[in-house]
Amino acid sequence: MPQTENQTQVTDRPQATKTAILVIGGAEDKVHGKEILQTFWQCAGGTDAIIGIIPSASREPALIGERYYRIFADMGAKEIKVLDVRDRDGGRDSAYLHYVENCTGIFMTGGDQLRLCGLLADTPLMNLVVERVRAQEIALAGTSAGAAVMGHQMIAGGSSGECPNRALVDLAMGLGIIPEVLVDQHFHNRNRLARLLSAISAHSDLLGVGIDEDTCAMFDSDRNLQVLGRGTVTIVDARDISYTNQNQVHGADPISIHNLKLHVLRYGDRYNLEGHQVIASS
């Protein structure tokens, strides 16, 4: 698969047309309207977009990298490169670093979030991505595993279909791109509400964000989350909980959480992270 397109040298960092972080619940439409992927492409600059694809979460990175490469090429992106990092040394590759220094958008694919963090956390490549995202210089998207890594704390695995309990969820360190959120993906599709509640019971200072398949929570530079796609985004706000027995129970014993606030947002609804306010779509 070719991994360089335009031979034009980029001398200055291009600016994305709209800096945003797109956190996608997985299984986004890749065939028909492709609304979520189109939105990322537009945020990255549309026909001027210079996109880097990171398929490191996948155990078939060449295959999944090729798939997204073709999607963004068909949309008309100016340049696309698959940053196929398969070991920690790849996170120091000078060609990859140069590309990220000049790109307008980074897309992280699905797979295994522990694999993604194990390969890229604290590498020069990922540190540069995070730096440019925080400087609002590039658009960033992550789907499925690429969504799970967005917070400082990350849901690394677990079960579903049970009451909230400590054994239901495995936590690990994420990439800290949006440090105050704790993301779960494939949310209602895999019955993961209890899993997110179990995680939030241990980290009530974080905002739980559960994202359905073919659904996106798009974070803009004004600290608003806006919902795109066909499903819902579930917000779990534990700032005002009055009681939890999380520290007293063990294993699969049920967890109590009192005075928890929960919002279910659909297409067009927004949530402001500063004021913790929900804004309904007009």
Side-chain angles (χ1 to χ4, degrees):
M1 176 182 65
Q3 295 198 356
T4 58
E5 284 63 59
N6 255 321
Q7 298 302 312
T8 304
Q9 290 290 92
V10 181
T11 56
D12 297 312
R13 283 182 175 179
Q15 286 290 319
T17 56
K18 180 181 179 183
T19 55
I21 303 172
L22 285 76
V23 188
I24 306 165
E28 71 283 353
D29 175 20
K30 304 177 185 67
V31 178
H32 301 293
K34 308 185 189 77
E35 180 190 17
I36 294 170
L37 296 177
Q38 284 270 4
T39 300
F40 166 71
W41 170 75
Q42 290 167 353
C43 288
T47 54
D48 291 323
I50 302 171
I51 294 173
I53 299 167
I54 298 178
S56 302
S58 175
R59 297 196 176 276
E60 296 182 316
L63 184 64
I64 197 162
E66 166 76 15
R67 186 172 194 186
Y68 283 102
Y69 179 102
R70 294 302 169 197
I71 288 170
F72 295 129
D74 289 345
M75 290 179 186
K78 182 179 179 181
E79 296 185 48
I80 311 162
K81 189 179 185 72
V82 177
L83 310 177
D84 192 356
V85 176
R86 303 196 187 193
D87 53 42
R88 295 282 295 179
D89 286 340
R92 294 187 286 270
D93 185 287
S94 59
Y96 288 172
L97 286 167
H98 177 72
Y99 192 84
V100 171
E101 181 72 26
N102 294 288
C103 73
T104 61
I106 291 289
F107 190 95
M108 299 187 295
T109 74
D112 181 341
Q113 51 264 44
L114 282 173
R115 176 179 171 84
L116 177 58
C117 285
L119 287 172
L120 283 168
D122 295 321
T123 62
L125 179 65
M126 187 52 66
N127 289 343
L128 180 58
V129 171
V130 174
E131 173 193 325
R132 297 206 62 207
V133 170
R134 288 178 177 168
Q136 299 182 7
E137 295 175 344
I138 62 172
L140 173 70
T143 184
S144 190
V149 301
M150 292 290 183
H152 180 68
Q153 289 286 331
M154 173 179 78
I155 293 178
S159 303
S160 61
E162 303 175 27
C163 64
N165 65 80
R166 296 182 68 169
L168 192 63
V169 61
D170 301 318
L171 294 172
M173 298 297 291
L175 297 177
I177 297 165
I178 315 173
E180 65 269 45
V181 304
L182 182 58
V183 175
D184 209 348
Q185 5 76 308
H186 303 280
F187 194 61
H188 282 119
N189 312 81
R190 299 186 186 178
N191 195 15
R192 285 178 169 172
L193 177 59
R195 185 168 92 163
L196 183 58
L197 293 176
S198 302
I200 287 294
S201 71
H203 295 280
S204 59
D205 57 320
L206 301 179
L207 188 73
V209 181
I211 309 173
D212 295 350
E213 292 178 357
D214 194 21
T215 308
C216 172
M218 183 172 72
F219 294 79
D220 65 25
S221 55
D222 294 325
R223 306 269 295 159
N224 290 311
L225 176 165
Q226 182 171 349
V227 180
L228 304 174
R230 65 181 176 86
T232 61
V233 172
T234 300
I235 303 291
V236 179
D237 179 358
R239 290 174 304 131
D240 297 326
I241 62 170
S242 56
Y243 170 79
T244 179
N245 65 344
Q246 196 271 344
N247 290 326
Q248 303 162 28
V249 297
H250 303 281
D253 294 338
I255 294 174
S256 294
I257 315 171
H258 299 176
N259 204 38
L260 192 70
K261 188 177 289 186
L262 186 144
H263 308 283
V264 179
L265 281 60
R266 55 149 288 164
Y267 188 97
D269 290 345
R270 289 178 290 157
Y271 184 89
N272 181 262
L273 273 69
E274 295 290 347
H276 295 276
Q277 295 175 320
V278 178
I279 305 163
S281 60
S282 56

